[in-house]
């Protein structure tokens, strides 16, 4: 069912929708992973890591909404269902249970690195088909790379 008319050609909307949908599942999962670690981190750096993880949660939730609504604006139905996220996310499985602060930071370094690599591919893929979506993805990638830097510095 097509309710919203897309401003893009069919070929371009396919490329852009794949990029936005991929970004959506990665960002939803990043918010879940960051909350999981936020709840389970232990150790001397608990306070700073615990609080920084909620910055990632807020960032990921805000940007997941941005890419989902960008897809909708292009006439593409966003899919943020748990099953879709579980299958499509580029982030590895987070171990269950308590996690010491160094491992917690390492988990975020890995998760952010995985998402950033995929986001940079999406930035390249959307350049010609839709620079407006590309601009959204560039902004998100910059925010993710800032967090990636800070978590790497935490374990430096
Ligand atoms: Fe909390």
């Amino acid at each position: 069912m097509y309710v919203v008319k897309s401003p893009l050609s069919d070929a371009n909307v396919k490329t852009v929708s794949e990029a936005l949908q991929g970004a959506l599942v990665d960002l939803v999962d990043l918010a879940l992973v960051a909350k999981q670690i936020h709840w389970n981190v232990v150790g001397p750096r608990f306070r700073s890591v615990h609080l920084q993880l909620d910055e990632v949660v807020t960032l990921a939730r805000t940007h997941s909404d941005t890419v989902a609504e960008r897809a909708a604006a292009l006439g593409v139905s966003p899919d943020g269902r748990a099953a879709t996220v579980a299958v499509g996310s580029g982030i590895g499985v987070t171990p269950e249970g308590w996690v010491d602060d160094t491992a917690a930071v390492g988990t975020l370094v890995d998760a952010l690195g995985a998402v950033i690599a995929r986001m940079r591919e999406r930035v390249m893929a959307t350049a010609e088909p839709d620079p407006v979506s590309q601009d959204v993805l560039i902004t998100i990638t910059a925010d993710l790379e800032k967090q990636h830097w800070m978590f790497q510095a935490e374990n430096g």
Side-chain angles (χ1 to χ4, degrees):
M1 180 175 69
Y2 297 96
V3 177
V4 181
K5 181 171 168 46
S6 180
L8 304 180
S9 69
D10 287 350
N12 284 349
V13 83
K14 181 176 188 302
T15 301
V16 175
S17 67
E18 286 173 0
L20 293 171
Q21 176 62 32
L24 175 59
V25 297
D26 280 352
L27 290 165
V28 170
D29 198 23
L30 181 60
L32 293 173
V33 168
K35 265 301 186 194
Q36 173 69 13
I37 305 299
H38 171 85
W39 297 321
N40 279 284
V41 64
V42 295
R45 292 187 287 154
F46 167 82
R47 186 73 182 161
S48 63
V49 175
H50 177 75
L51 294 177
Q52 193 183 348
L53 284 160
D54 256 355
E55 291 181 18
V56 176
V57 172
T58 299
L59 184 158
R61 286 179 177 167
T62 300
H63 286 325
S64 66
D65 194 53
T66 303
V67 294
E69 294 184 356
R70 178 66 193 155
L74 295 176
V76 176
S77 164
D79 186 352
R81 296 174 297 172
T84 304
V85 173
V87 169
S89 170
I91 302 173
V93 175
T94 306
E96 68 174 15
W98 306 114
V99 57
D100 72 65
D101 46 19
T102 299
V105 170
T107 297
L108 262 290
V109 169
D110 291 347
L112 286 162
V115 175
I116 287 165
R118 284 154 62 96
M119 291 298 289
R120 280 188 164 272
E121 289 177 6
R122 293 171 188 131
V123 166
M124 300 307 292
T126 51
E128 284 291 322
D130 184 19
V132 180
S133 294
Q134 185 200 37
D135 183 60
V136 169
L137 295 169
I138 288 170
T139 299
I140 294 169
T141 305
D143 282 352
L144 293 171
E145 289 183 348
K146 182 177 178 180
Q147 287 292 334
H148 198 217
W149 150 53
M150 290 192 287
F151 277 102
Q152 289 176 88
E154 291 259 2
N155 272 0

